[in-house]
Amino acid sequence: MRPLIVVDEAIPFLEGVLEPWADVRYLPGARIGADDVRHAEALIVRTRTRCDARLLAGSRVRFIATATIGFDHIDTEWCAANGIRVATAAGCNARGVLQWVAAVLVSLSQMQGWQPCQKTLGIVGVGHVGSLVKDYAESWGFRVLCCDPPREEREHAGFLPLEEVARQSDLLTFHVPLDASTRHMADAALFRILKPGATVINSSRGEVVDGAALLAAGFDCALDVWEYEPHPDPVLLARALLATPHIAGYSEQGKAAASALSVRAVARAFGFPLEGWYPPAAAPSCPRPVAWPELCRSVVQAFDIAAQTRALKARPEDFERMRDHYAYRREYF
């Protein structure tokens, strides 16, 4: 008997891929409900679908693939206790987020009138994304300080405590998952010790930064993620130097990689012959070094972050529509 797989219809490149071996039902992610998954054996979702007991209890679901790096929308403890395996697309959008950070840094340098050699960049979270940001930022001439408590505990790699990075950083960028240890990691206490005049950059999860505390502290910020999405605080949105609708990782190659990882995970779980599948319509990634002068000339052609900021500030009510209909950027480094 062919398994039923419920898929978020906004995940690109998937239509027709699984149909030779499964019955596939495509639905809007935010509207997937218990009745929709009751007879499904697998789900392929994004952050729009909250996977917990309310959705899954009494269903036949035994496997969830999320086409995202984060999994805070999945109650992993409940899933584990009820025999449901979960696969993520960890690392899929790292270069897409790197491109967003690069656009932020170039824009800030032009707004604020500085060169990389004059600034210290603090990176909080040195995983798939943070490691890339570190390597490229150092090549661009920034002094880079890194904080990653879990890695430091495991590896004794010399990462600094968050408070020390905050005291020294002119730019503080967050690349951490959302969990109990990172929720409101950037809070009033941290802002009291953050270097005066610093800029806060967040492309991880909105709840990592306490927006009310950030407003009260008065620091400049560049934000892709927001508390209470898709309804960002209008005052914080107006104050942000750069503001985008949770699209930092939305590159063509990042989305292709996420879809590919999801398909491969489902294929392994059900024995479909799709190991190694990658969307034929998507261009492959082309990692390469890029020098700061070239970046300053080229990044606006790949991603005009100022235009995106103006659009979001003019129409914040279109947050979700902008995200769902975003024209994926092409990675060029």
Side-chain angles (χ1 to χ4, degrees):
M1 184 175 177
R2 289 158 59 93
L4 172 63
I5 301 174
V6 172
V7 177
D8 182 328
E9 66 182 13
I11 300 174
F13 307 114
L14 291 187
E15 191 169 350
V17 175
L18 296 166
E19 278 81 346
W21 302 279
D23 295 325
V24 184
R25 188 179 180 197
Y26 299 91
L27 296 169
R31 299 179 190 170
I32 294 174
D35 288 342
D36 301 311
V37 308
R38 194 170 311 281
H39 301 292
E41 294 186 37
L43 309 179
I44 303 179
V45 299
R46 297 180 300 156
T47 56
R48 307 301 201 291
T49 306
R50 175 68 186 169
C51 298
D52 56 13
R54 186 165 52 180
L55 178 72
L56 301 166
S59 76
R60 297 177 60 192
V61 173
R62 289 296 171 262
F63 190 85
I64 299 171
T66 181
T68 62
I69 61 171
F71 50 88
D72 46 283
H73 55 295
I74 300 174
D75 187 338
T76 53
E77 288 188 11
W78 190 91
C79 287
N82 288 273
I84 300 174
R85 290 179 290 158
V86 175
T88 75
C92 67
N93 67 352
R95 286 193 173 270
V97 179
L98 169 67
Q99 189 179 70
W100 183 89
V101 173
V104 167
L105 294 176
V106 168
S107 294
L108 291 177
S109 74
Q110 294 167 349
M111 290 179 192
Q112 299 172 339
W114 48 258
Q115 291 297 314
C117 62
Q118 300 171 300
K119 295 296 178 181
T120 296
L121 176 67
I123 300 173
V124 184
V126 195
H128 292 288
V129 177
S131 295
L132 277 178
V133 173
K134 173 184 180 295
D135 291 345
Y136 275 83
E138 287 177 340
S139 76
W140 295 331
F142 289 92
R143 174 181 178 237
V144 176
L145 302 177
C146 293
C147 168
D148 193 312
R151 282 193 62 190
E152 181 61 24
E153 185 175 350
R154 292 193 307 267
E155 304 168 26
H156 306 291
F159 296 132
L160 298 175
L162 176 60
E163 295 75 13
E164 186 58 35
V165 172
R167 288 189 185 96
Q168 297 190 49
S169 295
D170 302 293
L171 305 140
L172 188 64
T173 183
F174 290 87
H175 303 287
V176 297
L178 178 63
D179 59 28
S181 70
T182 61
R183 188 177 298 274
H184 283 187
M185 170 182 270
D187 60 5
L190 186 71
F191 295 136
R192 282 195 291 270
I193 62 175
L194 184 59
K195 185 175 181 178
T199 300
V200 175
I201 303 168
N202 188 20
S203 57
S204 57
R205 285 291 186 266
E207 294 84 353
V208 168
V209 174
D210 183 335
L214 177 58
L215 275 173
F219 286 100
D220 287 335
C221 60
L223 303 175
D224 178 61
V225 290
W226 311 78
E227 291 184 290
Y228 317 117
E229 288 183 20
H231 306 291
D233 183 321
V235 180
L236 185 58
L237 177 60
R239 279 274 306 278
L241 295 179
L242 297 164
T244 54
H246 202 154
I247 47 77
Y250 276 29
S251 68
E252 177 185 340
Q253 291 81 3
K255 287 297 182 181
S259 295
L261 288 168
S262 297
V263 166
R264 294 173 198 171
V266 170
R268 285 192 296 272
F270 291 91
F272 303 156
L274 289 167
E275 189 63 36
W277 179 84
Y278 186 86
S285 187
C286 55
R288 67 177 181 89
V290 60
W292 182 256
E294 180 191 351
L295 182 67
C296 291
R297 291 192 303 269
S298 62
V299 73
V300 70
Q301 298 166 357
F303 178 34
D304 189 343
I305 194 170
Q308 182 69 73
T309 296
R310 290 192 296 270
L312 181 59
K313 289 190 175 193
R315 301 187 306 279
E317 67 278 7
D318 286 350
F319 187 101
E320 197 76 346
R321 186 194 62 79
M322 289 180 186
R323 197 176 176 205
D324 282 342
H325 299 283
Y326 186 76
Y328 301 133
R329 309 184 302 273
R330 179 160 291 192
E331 297 171 9
Y332 71 101
F333 63 88

